[in-house]
Amino acid sequence: MANRKELDILFKATKISKSFGDFKANIDIDISIKKGEIHALLGENGAGKSTLVKIFYGVLKPDFGTIEVNNHIVNISSPKSARDNGIGMVFQHFSLFPALTVAENIFIALDKKIIFKNLISEISSLSKEWELFIDPMRLVSELSVGEQQRVEIIRCLMQNPKLLIMDEPTSVLTPQEIENLFKILKRLSSSGCSILYISHKLEEIIELADQVTILKSGKCVSTLNAKTTSTKELAETMVGKKIIKLKKSSVIDNSKNVALEVINLNKIKDNNFGITLKNINLKINYGEILGVAGIAGNGQIELMEMLSGEAICENNDEILLDNIPIGATNITSRRKLGIEPIPEERTLHATVPNLAMNHNTFLTYYYKYQNTKNFFSNFLINPQNSLEESNKIIKDNDVRCPEPNPLANQLSGGNLQKFILGRSMANDPKVAIFSQPTWGVDIGAATSIRQKLLNLSQKGKAIILISQDLEEIFELSDKVCVINNGVLSDILSVNEMSASDVGLLMGANVNNLKKSEIL
Ligand code: ADP
Ligand code: MG
């Protein structure tokens, strides 16, 4: 008979292994979760966390290993069978349809048959009960990311889960939304629902979790009691070495020249889900980092498009580089002039997922190879001549690859980001524009990416850092502003703004973001 301890265990996975080709993403992983326990899953990028929870939710099939729910071995062959076993999941990248309403999105994902009208009242009552306020009739495209997450959580709650899995739920939320989410998770856990929670944020894990399992290179290296561990111990166990602190020089040099200037830039949105940029003004000097904070979906993508030259300004003098108008030039011309965009979407924007790294180097910077000997071979353009450079980028930037010259989609998020950054820096830009550079990247890779940004600014480069991560903004920036509904706030020195000032500007509902008018 099962002893008392085993009766407390809701979910137990034993010796879970999963390979992609020759690459072992999960190796003999054991994890057990008690009823009502909040169990965190921590690990560097590429450690195998998402793979593991996809196995638990039936999205991936393990090569080996068993899963038990309530002491019975179960076969989780699909998400539906996961849900039948009481397992719900909120994904890292949401799976909602923007053109449908909240209720329609929930309706199409439900296993049980329910009359649409009853569904709406069920959503309303769940949303009241759990303080996950959401109007079931609103279009998902009109919701903030935090609100979209509420929809996903409600959708899970409707299935009465015994185990709720969340893959990096807070990387997209404001501090206020995070607080709210934690309240809900704590309430869920005290009502007996277990939670498996992936996060890169160590403080969060300490605050929220009971237990924490740490993965490294596909293996489980440790399970610790979150109540007695420290952020330092977590970080060091995860990375397997001592964490180096960021080095920032505090000297502010007023003699620096203006690198990039944006003057009264306007851009009307070109699709229903876009944001109109309204009279954007900004100025950045060489050697400075300008942080642009804001909740996703407030014009960051559009701003990036305008600055990079993916979208072209109506007037050439809406953007100046070294005092010379460049607003009407395209992305390749701007790259040649020294402006490097490092976009938010690593796959499908910064890279083509099913092309090899050298092809990805070639496609972005084909003009660099135009004068090389083998540019044309057999009347075709030959990407081989970028192999040497792409291998150098991989080596110089500690990009960990499962094989030589892999496809972009074979790399983990953090490693792909290191590659993209290295590829841009090989151009020795004057101005680098980063959008969410450490989104979903583990603390080890994030620290190395942030240190690179600081080093670049200390070398005199101008850096625009568009980020939702306030800690990152404050850690790196010399000056800060906020983008909210296509409007850019005043730019102030970091010493003049606190994180809560920025949080207020991010959440404010205004058309004119003057600090003095809001704070
Ligand atoms: P984490 O969520 O911890 O960042 P993942 O579980 O997403 O890591 O990835 C673990 C490793 O498995 C990574 O190195 C990644 O490149 C690899 N991997 C993930 N999915 C696939 C796939 N479909 N094909 C090949 N390799 C993959
Ligand atoms: Mg992941």
Side-chain angles (χ1 to χ4, degrees):
M1 210 181 106
N3 65 29
R4 174 86 193 96
K5 210 168 149 208
E6 280 166 352
L7 285 176
D8 282 347
I9 305 275
L10 169 80
F11 179 93
K12 185 170 171 192
T14 312
K15 294 209 170 309
I16 301 287
S17 296
K18 173 79 187 171
S19 295
F20 297 107
D22 291 338
F23 182 79
K24 295 186 167 124
N26 284 171
I27 306 162
D28 287 343
I29 296 178
D30 294 340
I31 192 167
S32 67
I33 305 171
K34 289 191 187 146
K35 289 177 186 147
E37 174 178 289
I38 303 187
H39 197 114
L41 191 58
L42 177 72
E44 287 191 279
N45 253 93
K49 304 176 300 293
S50 293
T51 304
L52 185 67
V53 294
K54 281 181 193 159
I55 290 171
F56 294 167
Y57 193 60
V59 177
L60 288 173
K61 240 185 155 47
D63 302 332
F64 304 102
T66 53
I67 294 175
E68 291 164 59
V69 175
N70 285 326
N71 291 312
H72 294 291
I73 291 188
V74 291
N75 175 23
I76 299 179
S77 55
S78 66
K80 163 126 184 23
S81 71
R83 292 193 293 268
D84 291 343
N85 281 291
I87 302 168
M89 178 154 166
V90 172
F91 283 90
Q92 189 168 12
H93 301 287
F94 300 147
S95 46
L96 302 172
F97 295 101
L100 299 182
T101 63
V102 169
E104 286 164 347
N105 263 288
I106 293 180
F107 186 72
I108 55 176
L110 276 187
D111 296 324
K112 57 182 176 186
K113 294 227 176 338
I114 184 165
I115 298 166
F116 193 67
K117 216 172 69 206
N118 297 348
L119 176 71
I120 291 174
S121 61
E122 202 174 322
I123 295 171
S124 305
S125 73
L126 264 179
S127 112
K128 250 193 232 115
E129 183 189 341
W130 289 96
E131 295 183 29
L132 287 157
F133 296 113
I134 206 84
D135 174 357
M137 301 316 286
R138 278 182 76 194
L139 279 181
V140 163
S141 61
E142 291 170 0
L143 304 181
S144 72
V145 186
E147 289 171 320
Q148 292 184 39
Q149 188 183 61
R150 281 182 222 161
V151 179
E152 295 247 359
I153 297 174
I154 291 175
R155 181 155 90 177
C156 284
L157 292 181
M158 296 200 74
Q159 332 255 11
N160 275 325
K162 288 181 270 183
L163 171 67
L164 179 64
I165 302 173
M166 302 195 90
D167 197 348
E168 295 194 40
T170 60
S171 44
V172 292
L173 302 180
T174 62
Q176 289 84 349
E177 287 172 326
I178 293 175
E179 214 174 284
N180 240 341
L181 176 68
F182 281 12
K183 263 196 230 147
I184 291 161
L185 294 184
K186 285 178 184 162
R187 241 183 92 191
L188 270 170
S189 109
S190 52
S191 77
C193 177
S194 310
I195 290 158
L196 180 60
Y197 180 91
I198 297 182
S199 175
H200 284 118
K201 298 185 183 166
L202 308 171
E203 282 94 14
E204 268 183 27
I205 288 178
I206 301 261
E207 184 193 333
L208 193 66
D210 302 303
Q211 295 285 312
V212 45
T213 289
I214 302 164
L215 300 187
K216 185 165 172 52
S217 308
K219 290 188 192 142
C220 170
V221 285
S222 191
T223 295
L224 300 171
N225 181 338
K227 299 292 171 224
T228 54
T229 184
S230 63
T231 50
K232 191 160 169 279
E233 184 184 24
L234 287 178
E236 286 173 5
T237 314
M238 169 174 78
V239 182
K241 62 183 178 222
K242 302 261 179 255
I243 303 282
I244 304 155
K245 277 219 149 232
L246 287 181
K247 290 187 224 82
K248 183 176 177 182
S249 87
S250 54
V251 191
I252 292 180
D253 178 359
N254 290 322
S255 66
K256 287 169 185 160
N257 294 326
V258 179
L260 193 81
E261 196 167 357
V262 175
I263 304 166
N264 299 338
L265 182 147
N266 287 286
K267 174 81 183 356
I268 294 174
K269 65 178 177 186
D270 50 18
N271 67 71
N272 277 343
F273 307 132
I275 295 282
T276 294
L277 295 178
K278 297 162 205 144
N279 208 30
I280 304 276
N281 283 283
L282 70 81
K283 198 192 255 189
I284 174 162
N285 295 336
Y286 284 110
E288 264 177 16
I289 301 183
L290 168 66
V292 181
I295 301 161
N298 272 283
Q300 288 94 331
I301 291 170
E302 291 78 5
L303 180 64
M304 183 64 158
E305 280 173 359
M306 297 309 287
L307 294 176
S308 66
E310 258 179 76
I312 290 168
C313 300
E314 212 154 275
N315 304 311
N316 203 22
D317 46 16
E318 284 176 333
I319 303 177
L320 310 179
L321 175 68
D322 296 328
N323 266 323
I324 298 166
I326 57 153
T329 58
N330 67 17
I331 184 161
T332 303
S333 316
R334 290 195 206 176
R335 277 207 173 108
K336 289 180 186 168
L337 291 169
I339 298 182
E340 273 294 332
I342 295 95
E344 173 180 346
E345 291 275 333
R346 277 162 225 156
T347 46
L348 289 173
H349 195 179
T351 58
V352 183
N354 53 1
L355 282 185
M357 303 319 284
N358 75 311
H359 285 69
N360 272 299
T361 307
F362 181 84
L363 277 183
T364 317
Y365 300 99
Y366 65 91
Y367 56 86
K368 283 206 223 170
Y369 308 99
Q370 263 167 339
N371 298 323
T372 54
K373 204 169 69 197
N374 305 320
F375 188 74
F376 287 111
S377 91
N378 295 331
F379 301 102
L380 291 172
I381 289 178
N382 175 19
Q384 275 311 104
N385 55 12
S386 51
L387 187 58
E388 202 178 312
E389 176 155 10
S390 98
N391 283 339
K392 186 170 180 328
I393 294 168
I394 287 170
K395 191 161 156 272
D396 292 351
N397 293 280
D398 186 29
V399 180
R400 293 178 209 165
C401 298
E403 58 185 71
N405 200 26
L407 306 181
N409 64 10
Q410 286 177 284
L411 295 189
S412 72
N415 280 305
L416 188 59
Q417 183 69 331
K418 286 198 244 171
F419 175 82
I420 294 165
L421 225 135
R423 186 182 64 182
S424 285
M425 292 317 127
N427 275 351
D428 194 25
K430 294 178 176 177
V431 180
I433 310 158
F434 293 87
S435 184
Q436 323 294 356
T438 61
W439 147 278
V441 168
D442 66 84
I443 183 164
T447 308
S448 109
I449 289 167
R450 289 175 187 162
Q451 187 64 58
K452 277 197 176 122
L453 262 69
L454 285 176
N455 295 348
L456 283 168
S457 83
Q458 275 152 28
K459 276 196 219 151
K461 315 286 183 196
I463 292 174
I464 299 178
L465 167 64
I466 302 172
S467 177
Q468 299 177 61
D469 185 333
L470 285 188
E471 256 172 66
E472 172 169 274
I473 293 257
F474 277 92
E475 199 170 18
L476 301 183
S477 309
D478 302 293
K479 293 176 179 167
V480 202
C481 59
V482 172
I483 188 161
N484 182 344
N485 195 20
V487 178
L488 201 69
S489 74
D490 294 341
I491 296 176
L492 293 168
S493 146
V494 270
N495 309 324
E496 298 172 83
M497 287 259 233
S498 69
S500 69
D501 290 345
V502 171
L504 275 174
L505 288 168
M506 280 162 61
N509 186 12
V510 284
N511 280 324
N512 194 357
L513 284 187
K514 292 261 176 262
K515 186 187 172 195
S516 52
E517 287 173 18
I518 299 172
L519 303 177

